[in-house]
Amino acid sequence: MTTAQQRPVLPSVILETERLRLRAFVEEDIDDVYATCNDPEFQRWLPLPRPGAPYTRADAEQWCREIAPGTRIGGEGQQWAVVAKDTGRLVGAMGLVRVMWEAMNAEIGYWASPWARGLGYTGEAVVAVSRWALDRGFQRLEIKAATANIGSRRVAEKAGFTFEGVERSAMPLHEGRTDLAVYGLIPADRA
């Protein structure tokens, strides 16, 4: 007899947009994950693997081999590698995380590789994941971004999310803490 309630597991799917393929992380993504996660602008807003610790190649290997696939298998959400169709190169990551199954709520988290910023890929991927999640019955999706991270906030707004407020001192950084702007999307928001 088990006392832990099992969480649903999302299906392993590939999502496609006009320019992108969202798929599982693979071994060939390790170098690009490592390069992206060591980018100073990335580290400014996402203190991975944890505040105060440098991001290593072993962290990238663990992400691609264990953590990203484990998110889906453990019923915690889903992680996708975002790949440009024309080059096949990793341009970012997209995750449906912090899933609250009882309420059918989840957060969308993302990052863009430095060589792919400013091209609209992240917004395109957010729209694809949002549609997919709402089609699966999710009732609320959130995006949280550091209040000073204008690029990430712009992604949420362009993807149709509504600014709802600020969580004060909500996330640790490598140095200090940051407030998070909270954006929401519900089924009624779909146009």
Side-chain angles (χ1 to χ4, degrees):
M1 181 173 132
T2 180
T3 58
Q5 181 179 357
Q6 280 198 306
R7 293 180 263 193
V9 174
L10 292 167
S12 179
V13 297
I14 295 172
L15 303 177
E16 295 206 10
T17 68
E18 181 181 332
R19 302 181 300 160
L20 303 171
R21 178 170 291 113
L22 284 71
R23 56 151 173 81
F25 280 89
V26 295
E27 200 76 16
E28 290 76 23
D29 295 326
I30 292 171
D31 288 338
D32 283 342
V33 168
Y34 178 63
T36 296
C37 293
N38 273 294
D39 174 66
E41 186 67 9
F42 177 99
Q43 284 291 320
R44 178 180 175 196
W45 302 116
L46 293 172
L48 295 178
R50 65 194 161 282
Y55 196 88
T56 66
R57 180 166 174 80
D59 292 320
E61 291 170 358
Q62 186 179 31
W63 172 258
C64 292
R65 294 174 182 156
E66 299 169 29
I67 297 172
T71 300
R72 188 185 72 75
I73 294 166
E76 298 166 15
Q78 182 98 314
Q79 292 288 342
W80 289 273
V82 180
V83 178
K85 283 183 178 179
D86 61 346
T87 65
R89 188 170 190 194
L90 182 79
V91 296
M94 190 69 41
L96 192 63
V97 298
R98 294 181 186 82
V99 173
M100 296 172 43
W101 289 107
E102 297 79 22
M104 289 302 285
N105 295 347
E107 185 178 331
I108 294 178
Y110 48 82
W111 49 256
S113 298
W115 51 86
R117 292 185 190 132
L119 300 175
Y121 289 148
T122 306
E124 190 173 322
V126 167
V127 169
V129 169
S130 298
R131 287 181 181 157
W132 181 82
L134 292 175
D135 287 347
R136 305 265 120 18
F138 281 88
Q139 297 301 303
R140 177 178 170 75
L141 301 173
E142 289 183 342
I143 290 175
K144 296 181 181 184
T147 52
N149 187 343
I150 303 304
S152 189
R153 293 185 69 178
R154 192 172 299 130
V155 166
E157 292 162 1
K158 286 186 175 184
F161 283 67
T162 300
F163 175 70
E164 297 179 336
V166 173
E167 291 182 352
R168 298 181 307 145
S169 191
M171 189 175 91
L173 299 173
H174 282 299
E175 294 182 22
R177 296 183 68 84
T178 187
D179 296 345
L180 292 178
V182 179
Y183 293 84
L185 183 75
I186 61 174
D189 295 336
R190 293 174 86 168

